[in-house]
Amino acid sequence: MPLKPLKKAVLPVAGLGTRFLPATKTMAKEMLPIVDKPLIQYAVEEARAAGIEQICLITGRGKTMLVDHFDIAYELEKTLAERGKEKELAALRADAVLPGSVFSVRQQVPMGLGHAIWCARAFIADDPFAILLPDDLMQCEVSCTAQLADAYRETGGNVVAIEEVPRDRVNRYGVLDVAEDRGRLVSVKGLVEKPPIEKAPSNLTIIGRYVLMPEVIGHLARMEKGAGGEVQLTDSMAKLIGTQPFHGLRYEGRRFDCGDKAGFLEAQVAFALARPDLAPAMRDILKRYG
């Protein structure tokens, strides 16, 4: 049976962003900017660079601005054109998405990441799909999701982006039980969500990038609660192992945890330094605080 192309992505964005209050009192945390683009836009651009054509935002109350961000701002574009601000107008239009390519569904009750993905079941249907958590901001020469897409085509099954963490931090992540470590690709025989440090099968942990087969939805539909009393995506992914290929990918690039204040600030510095127009000024600023 031929492998289905990877054309869909789900972005869970229903969280309250409590770690960034009061900034997120009325603004979605995914709209917080890194330099001059919101986190949500970086995630969408990453997905599109991997050939993703349809994106579903899993939103919550008060998060309509995330959908609005990808609409056409006619009044703004008209004003920019009248004022001759061609550079700003070009930047807006370069980030435009095709009509009918962005969808949204509402997660009415915060029951965990697994529940959020289940809310997108009609969008996913019978197709493979990527998941991008915008809090994890990726800085990669090749889109992290594109790297996962390549691994999906190579292995014919589920692939998650992984990285090694210090042993004393494994209880914060989904952790791989490794069958075979081949360097870039790791064959997985089990997954454990936020295990006690002494019981973690490895220090290889899942970050917020996945390519999954649609069969995971059937397991999520059981609404079985795991760590933290929530419906955990990791638990349902684990049930695919043995029936479908399942691999971890050591991606090439760097991750910034923008759900954390320190990670968010570090991302500002790293992305500014990567910009030729901002790097000299940023280096001067950093010298003043060295």
Side-chain angles (χ1 to χ4, degrees), residues 116-130:
I117 302 305
W118 175 82
C119 288
R121 61 196 181 281
F123 169 81
I124 293 164
D126 296 321
D127 296 315
F129 64 104

Side-chain angles (χ1 to χ4, degrees), residues 225-244:
K225 294 183 178 180
E230 296 183 329
V231 180
Q232 296 291 348
L233 177 62
T234 303
D235 295 340
S236 289
M237 291 193 304
K239 292 174 181 176
L240 299 176
I241 298 170
T243 63
Q244 297 176 339

Side-chain angles (χ1 to χ4, degrees), residues 200-219:
S202 75
N203 69 333
L204 287 175
T205 61
I206 304 169
I207 68 162
R209 297 293 185 275
Y210 315 70
V211 171
L212 299 180
M213 302 302 101
E215 286 77 12
V216 74
I217 298 298
H219 297 294

Side-chain angles (χ1 to χ4, degrees), residues 90-138:
L92 276 183
R93 290 176 174 170
D95 297 323
V97 297
L98 291 174
S101 62
V102 175
F103 304 77
S104 71
V105 299
R106 182 73 64 88
Q107 184 187 22
Q108 291 97 334
V109 183
M111 292 175 58
L113 178 58
H115 178 262
I117 302 305
W118 175 82
C119 288
R121 61 196 181 281
F123 169 81
I124 293 164
D126 296 321
D127 296 315
F129 64 104
I131 301 173
L132 295 86
L133 307 188
D135 279 1
D136 278 348
L137 178 60
M138 310 304 294

